[in-house]
Amino acid sequence: LRFSCRRWGGLVQAGGSLTLSCVVSGFTFDDYAIAWIRQAPGKEREGVSCIRDTDGSTYYADSVKGRFTISSDNAKNTVYLQMNSLKPEDTAVYYCAAVGDSYYYNFRDGDGMDYWGKGTLVTVSS
């Protein structure tokens, strides 16, 4: 299993937008839930969002609802996280991770995820 994550956009000011993408190879999308999980310095991991391609369900942390949108392009094996109205508290390292679809709820705290990509740093200045 291989993740290739990219951050579209550079340093962002509060109120700005940024898109993360994660290209996954080595498994079938339908078998897994793909999530974005972040960790800020000195804080615990937080599951930001998750998408299940089995039925298209999406899930979000309360802290990002209405601001972030997760989507997938199965033809490209890519999951995106569109982040709008960014806040300084969104500053963190963001990881793409996968877990068997039935265990999608593991994304909430990141425990039990099967596979992890390398993180990408998102910095939001005030």
Side-chain angles (χ1 to χ4, degrees):
L1 199 74
R2 180 180 176 186
F3 292 86
S4 177
C5 298
R6 295 188 65 177
R7 180 189 66 200
W8 299 90
L11 180 65
V12 180
Q13 289 188 328
S17 298
L18 200 64
T19 300
L20 304 179
S21 66
C22 181
V23 180
V24 186
S25 59
F27 69 90
T28 303
F29 254 29
D30 284 351
D31 296 335
Y32 288 85
I34 309 296
W36 289 96
I37 298 168
R38 68 186 180 186
Q39 187 160 24
K43 294 186 177 181
E44 294 186 352
R45 268 186 323 211
E46 177 187 26
V48 174
S49 185
C50 179
I51 186 166
R52 302 173 67 189
D53 277 332
T54 50
D55 61 4
S57 298
T58 57
Y59 305 87
Y60 297 92
D62 288 342
S63 58
V64 306
K65 278 181 182 176
R67 300 188 298 122
F68 289 12
T69 302
I70 191 170
S71 62
S72 66
D73 184 337
N74 288 14
K76 297 181 180 179
N77 277 9
T78 303
V79 175
Y80 302 93
L81 186 68
Q82 174 67 44
M83 303 184 292
N84 298 326
S85 302
L86 283 161
K87 304 175 181 179
E89 50 264 43
D90 293 319
T91 294
V93 176
Y94 285 71
Y95 299 90
C96 187
V99 67
D101 184 78
S102 298
Y103 299 96
Y104 72 92
Y105 46 83
N106 285 351
F107 90 95
R108 297 288 184 189
D109 57 11
D111 289 341
M113 300 301 286
D114 293 329
Y115 305 101
W116 291 83
K118 292 183 180 179
T120 185
L121 176 64
V122 173
T123 302
V124 183
S125 62
S126 57

